[in-house]
Amino acid sequence: MRISIASGKGGTGKTLVATNLALSISDQPVHLLDCDVEEPNAHVFLQGDHIDQQVVHLPIPKVNQAKCQQCSKCSDVCVFNAIALFDKIILTFDDLCHSCGACWHLCPHNAIEKIDKEIGAIDKTKVDNITLITGKLKIGNHASPPLIKKVKGQCNDGGINILDGPPGSSCPAMEAVEGTDYCVMVTEPTPFGLNDLRLAVDMVTALGVPCGVVINRDGPGNVGVLDYCREKGIKLLMQIPMDDRIAKSYAKGTPLVKEEPAYRDKFNQLYQVILGEV
Amino acid sequence: MKIAISTQGENQSSEVNPRLGRCERFIIHDTDTGKSNVVENGGRLSSSGAGVATAKMLADLGVNAVITGFVGPKAFAALEAAGIKIFIGAQGTVEQSLKLYQDNKLDEAQSANAGAHSGI
Amino acid sequence: MKELTVISGKGGTGKTSITAALATLASDAVICDCDVDAANLHLLLSPKVNNKAEFYGMKKALINQDECTQCGQCVELCNFDAISDYTVNSMACEGCQLCHHACPSGAVEMVDHLAGHWYISETQCGPFVHAKLGIAEGNSGLLVAEVRKAARRLAEEGNKSIIITDGPPGIGCPVISSLADTNMALVVTEPTISAIHDLERIVKVAKNFGCYIAVCINKYNLNEENSRYIEGISRKLNIPIVGRVSYDPVMHEAIVRNMPVTLVPKGKVHDEIKTLWAQVQKILL
């Protein structure tokens, strides 16, 4: 089973929920996949034994000058301007390339080869019952979705997979949620939280993934999120109170369920509720 | 010889636009005839690689030199490959920049003088 | 005219709250929200929209079913898994046009794609440029560029001295777009291990742009040890700390009341934010 954790807004507690949920499941092996490849953070809370690292590549073009006839086809078809013919010289610009393959597929002289370009890495560590898979985008790269796809390839379909996604509701966030069985949306009861929750709900709805909401930093104040969930018929899965102790344990990088064991039952309950929903 | 000057306006008295890839237009001045014409920079609308697209366009127009404020690494590589000389540090109006160029007061770029993606 | 871009790496550090507060302190600024994926600044500035413009992203593929012979070539070639059942999923299509060029029956057309909107508004802090990207749209870097261009035009026309920009989270394409050619990047961080981890990454990105970089520690008393650690990192990276803002419920209250914190009476953090603004001005102006 695949459970994705999403939030329209950053900093609502997505990683808090993902890591503590993973730590509260004991009946099955858990794969926690950190798909927030621009800023992966789950490993801060789950420091285990490193078992594997895999470098992730994408194909980019390399022109075989001996075969090239300077016909300019590649230069004409590349909408990203990543390959261009000037006079008699073909230049390639790796950081503009989207690896679409138009140049090598369409070259009439078979003069373009594919070579590998490193876009990031996937680390695998083990902590108790949890296998943590972390995707980390190489700085200077902006292609998160292909790396997220590779991270998702590490799912263990015999057990529970928790996918901690990036914030927002654009391509990378979508890539993380797509194809999961259930999406847990983490929000906070503020106008920011509600605004971004709306966007995230629209996104998961477009993807056809069922979802429920966890309200983090719950307390007196804004009831907009509750009204919205009621109106949209979205299940409220859990409310985590506004509590200095939670903020402090998070700041230290200690998992909440280790610092405050009472939360283990609460997160296990969340797990049971999700099982009931799927 | 054809010289292209990056600008936001449409004539000799318009301000130079120091950004190459995302400039609105170029004034193309032909030193042989003394005449100038304006071209829209279609390259700036590229969602990716505006500097490269702009260099392609200038090469297709048969431009020999370009006068601008800043040039990024990709546009520099592209213009160099196209055999187009790059003069940087231009300021003021198109006319003033052209005068500075003719008086040999503009530097010819030996490398990029702006970071990638500067041409927003 | 100078540009200040507020970034954070990690989301939720208080970037938008600090940006809104600075906007109230600046006397002649254009305000700009570049977090086009999940814009929030408008919730604090209550803008009155004067102008709404459409934003078209890259053209996307569309298969003309009358011409399609279902040969399957496009499905096989597409590197983005965007085509199934001879239909293009426009959310996955990156607009590379390979299918359009490769289709033996010429059945694939490239069509305009409305990806979002951007707005020019009026607020009590001055003109405000903001945007909304459609759900699951890519290419937000281009929309960021569009928004910044409009902000620059407004600043030039109105003879403003500064553009204050709320940047996107992360270190990807939109952040790069929001940093290009800015004068100063203000990194709002917080003393949590996660934010510290992201701080070094975002500083590396910002350094590529040759802008002046400074750090503001928000919620600095949440964990003083971590705050000292951030001070250590900043020294090592040779980046000044220009502000320390307390962990104060009034920040949360301000968001709930849809106001910049500086306009909520009796905010303990007011003086700290004023000090931050004074430091920023000293560097920029």
Side-chain angles (χ1 to χ4, degrees):
Chain A
M1 186 170 73
R2 298 183 180 193
I3 304 165
S4 51
I5 317 288
S7 74
K9 177 174 157 20
T12 55
K14 209 165 22 62
T15 304
L16 175 87
V17 171
T19 50
N20 287 292
L21 178 62
L23 285 163
S24 308
I25 299 172
S26 49
D27 62 337
Q28 289 205 60
V30 178
H31 271 48
L32 176 57
L33 301 108
D34 197 339
C35 296
D36 188 0
V37 299
E38 287 184 34
E39 310 279 8
N41 277 144
H43 64 96
V44 168
F45 301 91
L46 296 168
Q47 290 167 353
D49 301 321
H50 198 258
I51 37 181
D52 188 33
Q53 182 176 56
Q54 183 192 329
V55 175
V56 179
H57 297 103
L58 277 183
I60 54 166
K62 181 171 187 289
V63 179
N64 180 335
Q65 302 290 353
K67 287 190 184 171
C68 175
Q69 311 279 314
Q70 282 113 27
C71 72
S72 167
K73 182 76 179 177
C74 56
S75 185
D76 297 342
V77 297
C78 181
V79 294
F80 307 107
N81 291 305
I83 186 164
L85 172 71
F86 292 99
D87 202 9
K88 299 242 171 299
I89 305 168
I90 294 201
L91 296 181
T92 53
F93 300 96
D94 298 356
D95 58 339
L96 297 178
C97 180
H98 285 224
S99 304
C100 70
C103 56
W104 59 77
H105 284 297
L106 299 170
C107 174
H109 311 288
N110 267 325
I112 301 177
E113 297 159 19
K114 287 188 270 185
I115 55 167
D116 278 341
K117 173 192 156 186
E118 183 182 336
I119 57 160
I122 297 176
D123 278 306
K124 201 184 257 187
T125 55
K126 188 114 179 96
V127 196
D128 304 333
N129 189 36
I130 301 168
T131 308
L132 174 64
I133 318 274
T134 305
K136 198 167 188 178
L137 192 70
K138 203 173 154 190
I139 287 180
N141 269 282
H142 35 78
S144 311
L147 181 55
I148 296 172
K149 214 173 254 183
K150 299 273 186 186
V151 174
K152 283 166 74 182
Q154 301 281 322
C155 279
N156 164 29
D157 284 321
I160 300 290
N161 300 281
I162 298 172
L163 293 86
D164 186 7
S169 47
S170 65
C171 319
M174 258 187 73
E175 183 59 55
V177 174
E178 200 218 333
T180 58
D181 300 293
Y182 195 77
C183 180
V184 177
M185 311 270 221
V186 185
T187 188
E188 53 179 36
T190 66
F192 284 9
L194 175 58
N195 180 67
D196 298 346
L197 176 64
R198 282 201 174 105
L199 300 173
V201 167
D202 286 350
M203 173 191 81
V204 295
T205 310
L207 288 169
V209 175
C211 69
V213 162
V214 169
I215 299 181
N216 188 21
R217 295 190 204 106
D218 195 24
N222 197 285
V223 291
V225 171
L226 282 177
D227 289 345
Y228 173 75
C229 290
R230 209 171 299 130
E231 181 192 311
K232 281 270 178 177
I234 300 170
K235 190 169 176 80
L236 183 60
L237 301 167
M238 184 183 186
Q239 281 157 289
I240 305 171
M242 171 90 112
D243 181 345
D244 274 4
R245 286 176 308 176
I246 299 177
K248 291 204 159 117
S249 87
Y250 184 82
K252 272 202 303 195
T254 321
L256 179 60
V257 297
K258 297 228 159 139
E259 196 100 330
E260 305 281 335
Y263 274 99
R264 188 178 295 270
D265 289 342
K266 296 197 171 134
F267 277 98
N268 191 267
Q269 246 167 36
L270 170 65
Y271 170 54
Q272 301 301 337
V273 175
I274 295 168
L275 288 183
E277 289 289 305
V278 176
Chain B
M1 174 170 174
K2 282 186 181 171
I3 303 167
I5 303 113
S6 59
T7 178
Q8 41 204 339
E10 293 181 338
N11 55 50
Q12 299 280 339
S13 51
S14 306
E15 292 284 311
V16 164
N17 187 334
R19 301 181 186 95
L20 178 73
R22 300 278 182 203
C23 77
E24 290 80 359
R25 283 165 216 97
F26 286 97
I27 304 287
I28 314 261
H29 178 77
D30 191 328
T31 53
D32 300 332
T33 63
K35 285 186 180 155
S36 298
N37 64 313
V38 191
V39 291
E40 288 287 323
N41 177 20
R44 79 188 164 102
L45 302 172
S46 303
S47 57
S48 147
V52 180
T54 301
K56 267 204 229 178
M57 186 198 79
L58 294 174
D60 290 345
L61 290 168
V63 165
N64 308 94
V66 62
I67 297 175
T68 188
F70 298 95
V71 61
K74 287 190 277 282
F76 180 84
L79 290 166
E80 195 182 34
I84 298 174
K85 292 190 174 194
I86 309 151
F87 294 89
I88 48 174
Q91 280 179 350
T93 65
V94 169
E95 201 170 12
Q96 287 162 347
S97 296
L98 205 52
K99 178 89 175 50
L100 285 174
Y101 164 77
Q102 281 157 347
D103 296 345
N104 282 323
K105 284 187 179 153
L106 287 180
D107 292 330
E108 184 172 348
Q110 304 301 323
S111 64
N113 68 336
H117 308 277
S118 292
I120 294 296
Chain C
M1 185 257 297
K2 303 284 185 181
E3 291 188 57
L4 169 71
T5 304
V6 186
I7 52 174
S8 67
K10 182 180 157 16
T13 60
K15 178 173 58 61
T16 302
S17 295
I18 300 272
T19 308
L22 294 181
T24 62
L25 299 177
S27 51
D28 63 339
V30 171
I31 324 294
C32 178
D33 191 351
C34 284
D35 187 357
V36 298
D37 289 327
N40 276 152
L41 191 54
H42 65 284
L43 297 170
L44 299 181
L45 298 180
S46 321
K48 190 179 139 283
V49 175
N50 287 334
N51 201 350
K52 175 177 175 181
E54 291 179 332
F55 170 71
Y56 285 87
M58 293 192 92
K59 288 189 175 195
K60 303 227 173 180
L62 179 72
I63 298 175
N64 182 339
Q65 298 301 335
D66 294 339
E67 312 274 330
C68 177
T69 61
Q70 310 204 336
C71 70
Q73 176 139 32
C74 55
V75 181
E76 197 185 307
L77 286 177
C78 179
N79 252 338
F80 308 105
D81 298 329
I83 307 176
S84 54
D85 295 333
Y86 313 102
T87 308
V88 178
N89 170 4
S90 68
M91 289 195 279
C93 175
E94 296 208 8
C96 76
Q97 309 196 357
L98 175 54
C99 53
H100 166 69
H101 292 294
C103 176
S105 8
V108 186
E109 228 187 309
M110 298 306 297
V111 293
D112 282 338
H113 179 75
L114 182 65
H117 291 90
W118 58 274
Y119 311 87
I120 295 178
S121 301
E122 199 47 55
T123 72
Q124 55 182 333
C125 308
F128 176 42
V129 189
H130 49 126
K132 191 177 172 202
L133 199 63
I135 312 153
E137 288 296 346
N139 240 322
S140 52
L142 194 61
L143 180 54
V144 166
E146 200 72 49
V147 165
R148 288 190 64 198
K149 207 167 70 191
R152 278 183 177 162
R153 206 183 50 234
L154 281 178
E156 273 159 24
E157 284 168 9
N159 217 358
K160 304 284 187 183
S161 67
I162 189 168
I163 299 175
I164 300 178
T165 297
D166 190 11
I171 59 164
C173 170
V175 183
I176 288 171
S177 263
S178 73
L179 283 176
D181 237 13
T182 196
N183 299 94
M184 177 173 177
L186 177 65
V187 186
V188 175
T189 188
E190 59 179 26
T192 65
I193 301 286
S194 305
I196 289 172
H197 176 257
D198 296 347
L199 174 63
E200 295 190 64
R201 274 167 81 78
I202 188 73
V203 166
K204 258 190 218 167
V205 172
K207 280 202 163 167
N208 283 336
F209 290 94
C211 55
Y212 193 94
I213 308 170
V215 168
C216 167
I217 310 178
N218 191 19
K219 316 174 200 169
Y220 80 94
N221 52 343
L222 182 64
N223 184 320
E224 308 236 0
E225 195 187 325
N226 284 342
S227 285
R228 278 193 296 275
Y229 186 70
I230 292 173
E231 287 164 6
I233 297 176
S234 305
R235 254 196 311 277
K236 197 181 80 200
L237 296 169
N238 202 15
I239 290 166
I241 298 202
V242 290
R244 289 176 181 79
V245 179
S246 308
Y247 183 60
D248 182 347
V250 77
M251 287 290 234
H252 183 81
E253 189 195 329
I255 295 173
V256 172
R257 292 172 62 179
N258 294 84
M259 287 164 91
V261 68
T262 36
L263 302 184
V264 177
K266 286 192 218 138
K268 269 193 282 177
V269 294
H270 288 182
D271 287 342
E272 294 164 342
I273 292 172
K274 277 185 191 146
T275 308
L276 166 67
W277 175 236
Q279 291 284 328
V280 169
Q281 275 182 306
K282 212 155 70 184
I283 291 165
L284 261 185
L285 305 176

